[in-house]
Amino acid sequence: MSLPVDPKVIPKPPVPLEFSVKAESIKITGFWMFLVSDMLIFASLFSVFAVFRSRIMAGPTPNQIFHYGSTLLETLLLLTSSFTVGMAIFAMRKSHAQAMMTWLVVTLVLGAGFVATEIHEFITDVQHGITWHVSGFLSGFFVLVGTHGAHVSFGIAWAVTLLFQLSRRGLTPVTTRKLYTFSLYWHFLDIVWVFIFTFVYLFGKIT
Amino acid sequence: MAKEPSEQIIWDEERGEPGFGFIRPHFHQEIFPTSQIVGYVLSLALTLTSFLLVIHRTFSASPLLVAILILAVGQAGVQVGIFMHLRESRGPAWQVIPLFLGFFIAGGMIAMSIWIMMFKWGGY
């Protein structure tokens, strides 16, 4: 049996910058664990909504308060921002810092458009007396969709701080790891939104 | 640049790549962002399909619910598989196992809540 004569360590395939330091790479795995636990929070809120969605009392039905237009607009904004943050990671892997920053700014603008549309939708509802204490359905709806909107708003604030750090420090194992975890977070919120528009908005239009 | 021992890459020729099966690490490295563009087109197609199905009421209610749920699961698959680079990791991609355990618990929690409440509603 031959012992390994040459203990040379060969990077195969080349590992991207954000995985190049072991401590930073472990933080990426840790962020996946956070996403799993966050997914369970949303699963609980989805269960509550599923249980309460037919409990409308004297309040409006889902069909009366949901609109195809704003739902489609929010969905397209979030899907496109998911693509642009993917492009930011692609540019980061190519070490194109300027392209990466541009894609990240585009992502932020699209995310802000999403939050603005949702806030407008909520304000319009409240002006018509549709608030979360009217019925079980509305409580479940506002808590579920509001929690998602709060996550997106937090993500925007996080990305703004990341933009400052990236412009000051450039691409290092730490900053690239932060942008990578941000992209994971953003795609995760996109998945949650896909289930919200299916399970809340489209289901509400069907039944 | 000399690296700390803890910072060395863990692949080596004797041991081969770490991990096996679906936790074998895999990095997405491309010259042109083909997978991102394909993922974007797929996600738009899946979303617009479910919208059009609902707007035109293609099927009756129950098959329609099942159809758009399947489209949503496909959309989640596109996001996780293409955009989130599920299997990128230095060592074995251990995040895959808790992630699927999480899917299992989340799906079970929602499905069981709906199932148990059916006894009270007499149907969904």
Side-chain angles (χ1 to χ4, degrees):
Chain A
M1 182 189 159
S2 65
L3 287 168
V5 184
D6 183 9
K8 189 175 63 174
V9 173
I10 299 169
K12 175 180 80 163
V15 173
L17 196 57
E18 63 270 25
F19 286 96
S20 62
V21 176
K22 195 170 185 181
E24 299 303 321
S25 139
I26 288 171
K27 286 174 187 168
I28 293 175
T29 310
F31 198 81
W32 276 100
M33 302 306 115
F34 160 72
L35 289 184
V36 170
S37 59
D38 212 19
M39 179 170 81
L40 293 181
I41 291 180
F42 279 108
S44 326
L45 295 176
F46 270 109
S47 317
V48 171
F49 180 79
V51 167
F52 281 129
R53 66 186 288 273
S54 59
R55 297 290 175 266
I56 53 171
M57 278 187 56
T61 64
N63 199 4
Q64 287 169 327
I65 61 166
F66 296 155
H67 305 287
Y68 286 121
S70 61
T71 310
L72 188 58
L73 176 64
E74 286 168 87
T75 307
L76 291 180
L77 284 171
L78 215 55
L79 285 178
T80 310
S81 77
S82 185
F83 166 68
T84 56
V85 81
M87 290 303 295
I89 294 298
F90 178 79
M92 181 181 89
R93 291 271 168 92
K94 292 263 172 285
S95 305
H96 293 163
Q98 197 55 51
M100 180 196 70
M101 303 280 269
T102 313
W103 284 114
L104 191 54
V105 170
V106 173
T107 307
L108 280 182
V109 171
L110 292 167
F114 171 84
V115 173
T117 315
E118 192 170 290
I119 289 175
H120 178 258
E121 186 191 327
F122 278 13
I123 288 178
T124 314
D125 284 346
V126 170
Q127 281 170 346
H128 290 84
I130 305 167
T131 55
W132 67 354
H133 37 261
V134 170
S135 64
F137 153 64
L138 287 174
S139 307
F141 167 75
F142 278 111
V143 172
L144 172 60
V145 181
T147 306
H148 176 266
H151 274 74
V152 177
S153 310
F154 172 79
I156 292 171
W158 179 13
V160 169
T161 63
L162 266 184
L163 270 175
F164 278 111
Q165 205 170 57
L166 284 164
S167 61
R168 289 172 67 94
R169 297 187 191 170
L171 298 178
T172 68
V174 176
T175 53
T176 52
R177 184 264 302 167
K178 287 180 178 176
L179 189 64
Y180 187 82
T181 48
F182 171 74
S183 85
L184 290 182
Y185 181 75
W186 202 258
H187 296 310
F188 166 75
L189 291 182
D190 194 54
I191 296 173
V192 173
W193 176 258
V194 165
F195 282 99
I196 289 180
F197 93 70
T198 302
F199 200 67
V200 176
Y201 288 91
L202 294 187
F203 271 36
K205 287 308 242 187
I206 294 171
T207 48
Chain B
M1 188 179 83
K3 284 181 176 172
E4 296 288 317
S6 66
E7 292 186 10
Q8 280 175 346
I9 310 299
I10 24 206
W11 278 280
D12 64 69
E13 280 189 327
E14 288 296 321
R15 286 164 53 219
E17 284 185 30
F20 49 87
F22 59 88
I23 60 169
R24 182 193 297 279
H26 171 75
F27 286 97
H28 292 249
Q29 305 276 22
E30 291 175 319
I31 297 164
F32 186 77
T34 319
S35 67
Q36 271 86 355
I37 292 169
V38 169
Y40 184 47
V41 171
L42 269 179
S43 66
L44 284 184
L46 288 167
T47 304
L48 293 178
T49 308
S50 57
F51 263 95
L52 289 176
L53 284 180
V54 173
I55 289 173
H56 294 298
R57 295 291 149 95
T58 318
F59 315 119
S60 56
S62 303
L64 195 53
L65 297 182
V66 174
I68 62 174
L69 260 188
I70 290 171
L71 288 170
V73 171
Q75 175 82 262
V78 168
Q79 296 288 327
V80 171
I82 295 180
F83 285 119
M84 289 173 88
H85 312 300
L86 177 61
R87 279 162 54 202
E88 285 191 345
S89 177
R90 262 172 81 102
W94 287 120
Q95 68 266 26
V96 176
I97 293 171
L99 185 72
F100 279 86
L101 178 64
F103 286 153
F104 178 73
I105 296 174
M109 194 166 15
I110 297 166
M112 293 298 147
S113 302
I114 293 173
W115 175 73
I116 201 75
M117 288 308 283
M118 277 181 176
F119 292 96
K120 193 170 166 62
W121 297 330
Y124 191 62

